[in-house]
Amino acid sequence: QVQVAESGGGLVQTGGSLRLSCTVSGLAFADYPMGWFRQSPRKEREHVSCISGNDGDIVWYADSAKGRFTASRDNAKNTLYLQMNSLKPEDTALYYCAPVGHVSSWMCSDALPDTAWGPGTQVTVSS
């Protein structure tokens, strides 16, 4: 069974930075493209960024994340990262990670079917 554990969230001021981590077990991590998602109250979960499997040479970003967020992965540690800079109040959300079906430079598919979502990590940006 795939298990994910997100961490690194917190409370920061506008303009601040955070680095999120996601540790994955129960699958051949290196082989899977991975995605970051977020959900704020009264909104549906949305894609933030996705990174291809293996060397992670393909990365997709939502328009809201472009130029501020950087996704990366360390396959030796089964860990996915999201460096978030220049944070804004609208970035406030619960952030999740999950394996996804496909990623290219212009799109990222949904999380794999039957994904067992982790607890997420809360990011709160104060104005």
Side-chain angles (χ1 to χ4, degrees), residues 11-80:
L11 172 63
V12 296
Q13 293 184 334
T14 296
S17 297
L18 285 172
R19 189 194 194 202
L20 306 185
S21 299
C22 167
T23 303
V24 182
S25 61
L27 84 169
F29 177 77
D31 294 341
Y32 282 83
M34 294 291 300
W36 284 103
F37 302 79
R38 69 185 182 187
Q39 187 169 19
S40 51
R42 297 175 296 279
K43 287 188 177 181
E44 293 186 357
R45 184 152 38 206
E46 62 179 359
H47 290 72
V48 176
S49 178
C50 297
I51 185 168
S52 59
N54 297 303
D55 58 6
D57 59 338
I58 299 173
V59 187
W60 172 91
Y61 297 98
D63 287 344
S64 59
K66 287 178 182 176
R68 300 188 299 127
F69 295 1
T70 303
S72 61
R73 62 191 301 156
D74 184 337
N75 293 332
K77 296 181 178 179
N78 280 17
T79 300
L80 176 72

Side-chain angles (χ1 to χ4, degrees), residues 1-15:
Q1 182 179 2
V2 179
Q3 291 187 321
V4 299
E6 304 92 349
S7 62
L11 172 63
V12 296
Q13 293 184 334
T14 296

